[in-house]
Amino acid sequence: MILTVTLNTALDLTYAVPALVPHSSHRVGDVTERPGGKGLNVARVLSALGHDTVVTGFAGGATGAVLRDLLGALPHGPADALVPVAGNTRRTIAVVDGSTGDTTQLNEPGPHIGSDEWTAFLRTYGELLPGADAVALCGSLPPGIHVGAYADLIRLARAAGVPTLLDTGGEPLRRGIAARPDLVKPNADELAQLTGAREPLRATRDARRRGARSVVTSLGPEGLLAVTPDGIWRAAPPSAVTGNPTGAGDSAVAGLLSALAEGLGWQDRLTRAVALSTATVLAPAAGEFDPAAYEDLLTRVTVEQHAAAA
């Protein structure tokens, strides 16, 4: 079983408009809603790949009830081990401009989590860990959760012998990486904020020196850069693609996590991650991946090892 943790779950709402014009009214052409938050997005991809997946974190109020209903309605979706809270689960609103393809994102902060609710989550997390092959800790922290929360969860997983992947930013990333997760997957902005460096290899190496066993950084359409105990790797799709990049990073995390749980080497991990993220860009629905494109890309992703040891 693969466990994903989303402490700040969300109900994702997407509005499609012909053109987004500030200071004006808009007629929405299409509305979609789905359970969201980075860990839930990762779990949805893992389930589509056929992995036994469980999601935990928090859900509460009317929005949380809708999120859980949508999660339960997913065919072959992840199992729901979300912890109920008194506050209302946040919403994220994406407005897609049909004239440009650009997306404007509005993210609510999430409900305040009380000490009793955090204790209930820790109890659930501790019960799930013994059955997990790997754990992903993803996304922002809701109000009320201390910035060292991910560091605590990494230490608990390590004590249980379960490998961890951390995907967050800011101070939670800084604290979490010091707790020595097996894999960290920051984006370029998160990495620059952590290290102060913009050059990808320098920043990725610096991040690894801060405690992570391995660090994988997105290079956007150019693929992924990994600094690992086995070497420095670059992985790239066979060609540049155009489409909607929403969810591509979460798909890459799902690829890395599934391969980590299966004990695969870095070439296979990076191949899977790049193939999934590229297939997500190509998919007609935001945040999903094109299965046919994924299978095709698995044979065409380029992975190169640039150094024998990192």
Side-chain angles (χ1 to χ4, degrees):
M1 177 266 284
I2 299 177
L3 176 63
T4 73
V5 174
T6 311
L7 297 178
N8 209 7
T9 58
L11 179 64
D12 289 344
L13 302 173
T14 302
Y15 297 151
V17 298
L20 182 60
V21 181
H23 316 298
S24 66
S25 297
H26 296 78
R27 186 173 297 278
V28 177
D30 186 43
V31 180
T32 60
E33 59 180 10
R34 64 177 187 173
K38 293 182 72 66
L40 265 69
N41 297 339
V42 171
R44 193 167 53 246
V45 175
L46 289 168
S47 295
L49 292 172
H51 287 274
D52 179 19
T53 309
V54 176
V55 298
T56 190
F58 298 107
T63 306
V66 173
L67 181 151
R68 300 185 83 161
D69 286 345
L70 291 171
L71 185 63
L74 292 173
H76 312 294
D80 178 354
L82 295 169
V83 175
V85 295
N88 203 34
T89 293
R90 68 184 178 132
R91 296 165 297 176
T92 66
I93 301 171
V95 183
V96 180
D97 185 328
S99 65
T100 64
D102 293 338
T103 300
T104 298
Q105 192 83 17
L106 303 173
N107 297 331
E108 296 179 355
H112 185 277
I113 304 301
S115 59
D116 290 347
E117 292 165 336
W118 177 243
T119 299
F121 167 78
L122 289 176
R123 183 167 55 250
T124 297
Y125 183 70
E127 292 169 351
L128 291 168
L129 276 178
D133 298 312
V135 175
L137 306 166
C138 301
S140 62
L141 299 179
I145 299 296
H146 63 288
V147 293
Y150 283 138
D152 291 346
L153 299 182
I154 289 165
R155 294 186 186 101
L156 289 171
R158 189 169 66 247
V162 182
T164 52
L165 183 154
L166 177 63
D167 182 15
T168 189
E171 191 62 22
L173 173 60
R174 190 180 306 277
R175 300 282 187 95
I177 204 169
R180 297 187 288 122
D182 293 88
L183 178 57
V184 175
K185 168 59 176 67
N187 62 37
D189 289 339
E190 291 163 347
L191 193 64
Q193 184 180 6
L194 175 69
T195 66
R198 279 285 176 183
E199 197 283 314
L201 180 56
R202 177 182 176 185
T204 306
R205 278 176 157 162
D206 187 351
R208 183 169 181 260
R209 284 194 291 266
R210 293 167 184 261
R213 180 171 174 80
S214 301
V215 179
V216 177
T217 303
S218 173
L219 302 176
E222 297 179 8
L224 298 173
L225 168 66
V227 177
T228 80
D230 299 329
I232 298 171
W233 306 78
R234 288 183 184 265
S239 60
V241 299
T242 58
N244 189 342
T246 301
D250 296 332
S251 290
V253 168
L256 292 168
L257 187 65
S258 61
L260 175 66
E262 294 170 29
L264 301 181
W266 276 103
Q267 178 151 342
D268 291 327
R269 294 185 197 183
L270 294 169
T271 296
R272 186 178 294 183
V274 171
L276 273 173
S277 60
T278 306
T280 299
V281 174
L282 293 170
E288 306 296 333
F289 73 93
D290 184 325
Y294 168 62
E295 293 296 334
D296 174 62
L297 285 160
L298 282 173
T299 64
R300 300 195 296 125
V301 170
T302 301
V303 180
E304 297 178 349
Q305 187 176 6
H306 287 260

